[in-house]
Amino acid sequence: PLDTTIPDNALVCLIGAAGAGKSTWASTWPGTQVLELDRFRALVSDDAGKQEATDDAVFALQAVLEARLARGLMTVVDATNSETAVRAGLIATARRHGVPTVALVVPTPASVCVERQDGRPDNRSVPAPIVRAQHAAVVDAWPGLPGEGFDHVVVAENIHRLEPLLQRLSD
Ligand code: GTP
Ligand code: MG
């Protein structure tokens, strides 16, 4: 059975390699609801691609996340979230605030994710081996996502396919 449930006032964790299309999906939510790690890197260092700034960016993102979840506000975390420990931290934070969690998996093929690095500015272009490793980590993680504690595991592609149908039903 296909889960396409994204409850209101949830924590949505996008999961996908660089170039998978996470930020494109995130842009379907109002801007203030989206916590994009690259944006926080830019806010703390003036450079969205500065990997050295990641720890500070994560710290700042978590502060905003806490403030939003304490208010029960819809929040979308736009980062690869390909590491188990990162997802566990997000789930624990949501639990503390009694907020439901959604894993929104963006399952774009690795070869496409790699190709999409091409036209990107240097500081945003992720090397192919890293993209492939992120993709492999997501593929490995996928079957275990419900067991990790996500209330819903939604595949972005499925929503996409359902869009025309949903549109027709709402007409
Ligand atoms: P990172 O921020 O590096 O982790 O990547 P991301 O997962 O946020 O990918 P992003 O949304 O930036 O998309 C990467 C590129 O793919 C962009 O140029 C998008 O316009 C393009 N793209 C995203 N989704 C689609 C899609 O469904 N179809 C096509 N053709 N292009 C897409
Ligand atoms: Mg992005």
Side-chain angles (χ1 to χ4, degrees), residues 6-50:
I6 300 181
D8 286 339
N9 304 328
L11 171 62
V12 175
C13 302
L14 284 158
I15 300 175
K22 299 180 299 296
S23 299
T24 304
W25 274 98
S27 68
T28 61
W29 278 277
T32 56
Q33 300 185 353
V34 178
L35 307 186
E36 181 185 11
L37 184 55
D38 282 336
R39 176 71 184 142
F40 280 90
R41 260 192 219 104
L43 286 171
V44 302
S45 76
D46 283 340
D47 181 350
K50 194 171 209 139

Side-chain angles (χ1 to χ4, degrees), residues 3 7 19-20 23-24 34 48 51 53 56 59 62 69 73 85 87 101 124 142-143 149-150 155 161-162 166:
D3 192 350
S23 299
T24 304
V34 178
Q51 296 309 309
D56 285 334
F59 184 81
Q62 281 170 347
L69 296 189
L73 295 174
R87 294 190 300 272
T101 52
R124 292 291 327 282
W142 198 335
F150 285 104
V155 180
R161 286 189 178 147
L162 286 172
L166 295 172

Side-chain angles (χ1 to χ4, degrees), residues 66-157:
E66 290 279 351
R68 292 187 58 83
L69 296 189
R71 290 175 172 80
L73 295 174
M74 183 77 187
T75 305
V76 179
V77 174
D78 178 6
T80 55
N81 294 322
S82 57
E83 293 172 30
T84 313
V86 168
R87 294 190 300 272
L90 292 170
I91 292 170
T93 303
R95 288 257 171 87
R96 252 191 295 116
H97 294 286
V99 169
T101 52
V102 179
L104 179 52
V105 183
V106 187
T108 308
S111 57
V112 176
C113 297
V114 169
E115 267 172 38
R116 285 179 180 167
Q117 303 305 316
D118 275 357
R120 287 185 156 189
D122 274 358
N123 71 334
R124 292 291 327 282
S125 176
V126 180
I130 294 178
V131 176
R132 291 191 183 281
Q134 289 171 345
H135 192 275
V138 172
V139 170
D140 282 351
W142 198 335
L145 292 175
E148 288 184 12
F150 285 104
D151 297 305
H152 301 281
V153 177
V154 177
V155 180
E157 177 72 3

